[in-house]
Amino acid sequence: MKMPVLFIGHGSPMNIILKNDYTRRLADLGKELPRPRAILVVSAHWLTDGTRVASAEKPETIYDFYGFPDELYRLSYPSPGSPGDAKLVADLVKKPPVKCDDSWGLDHAAWAVLRHVYPKADIPVFEMSLDYSPYNGWNRPTLRSFYDLAAELRPLREKGVLIMGSGNIVHNLRVVDMRNMDAKPYDWAVEFDGRVKQALLDRDHQSLLDCQNMDRATSLSVPTLDHYLPMVFTIGLQDKGEGLEFIYEGFQNRSISMRSFKV
């Protein structure tokens, strides 16, 4: 069975323990999806010099967040890794080279989501990093390299691997409202999120790759690329003729879009 592809807006680590519309939707998603043989997560929280794929047999739970309730640090997601699939990824990608790395586990871009989708942690999970070395704010090369890299991994979908990009389309922590998760979002955040939604529906991938040309709403919504790139990766896996379904739409903390979709 050809597996779908997901982009999930993961937002605050508080979603790990909260029961809200977003986390309930993730739980329902786990019941709707075909059961994967393994899960590859392209994480906004693993930024490297060059591209790496995690090859640990037993990936550790990484607590890459600070100042949150102690309860979060007592939780874990003890899924097995998938070293064989990590090697397969490295073999599939011809350019750029992908290196296996057994030092990385599961950061919260992965386990904060999967804890709701597959709570039993009984499916092998491994991560792929983002090569962030060429990027410095908006002065950067084209995003097409991430898009083209994703296309090389399309054969994984035929091998039972569910690929999930985890980030946020709008992600500005400089103006986030941490006191109120349900605060009204900024107008510029709603504007940018809406334009990305329309481009996704129109399969206008070029606009999403050239998003730096959109205007002021872009620079506020995407001040850094780390959380936007997993979305670029996800659409690079979309085959011709494949549709796209929004799994969840909404905002948290005024400046974080939780928009999530399935290819």
Side-chain angles (χ1 to χ4, degrees), residues 37-262:
R37 182 180 58 77
I39 302 168
L40 170 60
V41 179
V42 181
S43 168
H45 289 267
W46 191 17
L47 308 179
T48 54
D49 184 356
T51 305
R52 299 171 183 267
V53 60
S55 56
E57 291 187 3
K58 297 180 179 180
E60 294 184 0
T61 302
I62 300 173
Y63 305 94
D64 51 334
F65 44 83
Y66 309 94
F68 287 88
D70 291 344
E71 179 183 357
L72 295 184
Y73 304 95
R74 292 193 294 267
L75 298 173
S76 66
Y77 193 78
S79 70
S82 191
D85 286 308
K87 184 179 183 303
L88 177 59
V89 167
D91 291 341
L92 279 173
V93 178
K94 304 305 179 185
K95 184 180 178 181
V98 175
K99 296 181 180 180
C100 290
D101 184 331
D102 63 4
S103 68
W104 195 255
L106 299 180
D107 54 54
H108 91 267
W111 73 272
V113 173
L114 294 176
R115 187 172 183 272
H116 295 289
V117 182
Y118 298 111
K120 293 182 180 180
D122 57 351
I123 299 172
V125 183
F126 63 115
E127 287 196 14
M128 189 172 189
S129 76
L130 300 173
D131 179 4
Y132 213 60
S133 55
Y135 297 89
N136 181 17
W138 285 106
N139 181 20
R140 64 178 187 274
T142 174
L143 300 187
R144 182 163 287 278
S145 59
F146 287 95
Y147 184 84
D148 292 342
L149 171 59
E152 294 192 64
L153 296 181
R154 288 177 183 172
L156 289 178
R157 300 179 60 190
E158 306 284 355
K159 298 179 182 295
V161 178
L162 174 67
I163 304 176
M164 179 181 86
S166 182
N168 294 98
I169 289 170
V170 177
H171 185 264
N172 189 333
L173 297 184
R174 299 170 189 170
V175 293
V176 71
D177 184 351
M178 290 302 296
R179 296 171 299 178
N180 186 0
M181 182 172 278
D182 298 322
K184 181 182 177 181
Y186 293 104
D187 290 344
W188 48 261
V190 174
E191 177 187 345
F192 181 78
D193 181 71
R195 282 189 291 185
V196 171
K197 174 183 179 179
Q198 193 59 52
L200 289 168
L201 290 174
D202 294 342
R203 201 187 169 94
D204 183 7
H205 292 181
Q206 191 57 50
S207 290
L208 298 171
L209 297 178
D210 293 337
C211 69
Q212 67 266 37
N213 299 321
M214 285 184 176
D215 64 15
R216 175 177 175 271
T218 305
S219 61
L220 288 170
S221 299
V222 191
T224 59
L225 277 168
D226 47 354
H227 281 67
Y228 187 83
L229 290 174
M231 186 274 292
V232 170
F233 204 95
T234 301
I235 60 174
L237 289 156
Q238 186 177 13
D239 283 327
K240 289 183 179 180
E242 280 193 311
L244 184 146
E245 173 189 344
F246 292 109
I247 298 167
Y248 186 82
E249 299 177 277
F251 286 83
Q252 290 182 351
N253 307 101
R254 292 204 76 185
S255 61
I256 299 176
S257 166
M258 301 301 290
R259 180 174 299 283
S260 305
F261 60 86
K262 176 179 69 173

